[in-house]
Every structure is written in structure tokens, then in C-alpha cells.
Amino acid sequence: PSPRSSQPNGASEEALRCEIEELKQKDLALDQEIAQLLSEGYSLEELDKHISLLHEYNEIKDAGQMLLGKLAVIRGVTTKQLYPEYDLELSD
């Protein structure tokens, strides 16, 4: 059973109301951010493309981190020790 199913019905409903309110606030904040970007001259297509490129970047970065981790295991070192060898910054 889920943790919510063990709560009294009123507590579960209140938690859902809070979650809904938080999501509404996030939605409003995102709408405001989009409006700001549009007012700065960005187009929705440009924003969609940028988001798509960020997703692609993150997928590539994750794959690189995975490979770096496997190489570290093979060599018996930490991934941090491999960063200088490949001219990587710790913030990368």
C-alpha cells in the first residue's frame, strides 16, 4: 500500500490540495517566464529548439559521465582523478 493510503482521508485530500496549489504556482511562474522571453524577442519555436538542444546535451553528458565512470572502475581510480587527463573541469 502507498503511504497516502494509510493516511486519513482528510489528510490525503489536504496533501493533494497543497500539491495542486504548488503546481498551479509553478505553472504561473513558467507562464510569466515564457511571457518575459517572448517580450525579449524570442519565439516559441526558438524556445522549443533551445529546450530540445538542452535535452540532447544532457543525454550526451550523461553518456559521457557513464563512460567516465566505467573507465574509472576499470583503472581503479575515481572519476575525479580522470578529469585532468581529459581536460575536464569538475564543474563539467
Side-chain angles (χ1 to χ4, degrees):
S2 72
R4 288 193 177 172
S5 65
S6 64
Q7 296 177 343
N9 208 18
S12 178
E13 288 179 19
E14 182 59 30
L16 287 174
R17 277 192 205 97
C18 287
E19 188 175 344
I20 288 169
E21 187 57 37
E22 287 174 12
L23 290 172
K24 285 180 180 178
Q25 292 299 321
K26 286 180 183 179
D27 185 47
L28 179 61
L30 288 171
D31 285 344
Q32 290 172 344
E33 190 174 339
I34 289 169
Q36 164 106 20
L37 291 169
L38 291 173
S39 74
E40 293 174 4
Y42 294 97
S43 69
L44 287 177
E45 294 80 17
E46 187 176 9
L47 295 173
D48 285 341
K49 179 66 175 172
H50 186 72
I51 290 169
S52 175
L53 290 171
L54 283 172
H55 284 295
E56 185 177 346
Y57 166 81
N58 284 328
E59 288 173 8
I60 292 168
K61 183 178 176 185
D62 289 346
Q65 289 293 326
M66 183 183 67
L67 290 172
L68 202 59
K70 288 182 184 277
L71 181 59
V73 168
I74 290 169
R75 291 188 181 178
V77 298
T78 65
T79 54
K80 183 178 179 180
Q81 291 172 307
L82 293 176
Y83 273 58
E85 184 177 337
Y86 295 98
D87 295 323
L88 298 171
E89 299 293 325
L90 287 176
S91 61
D92 284 346

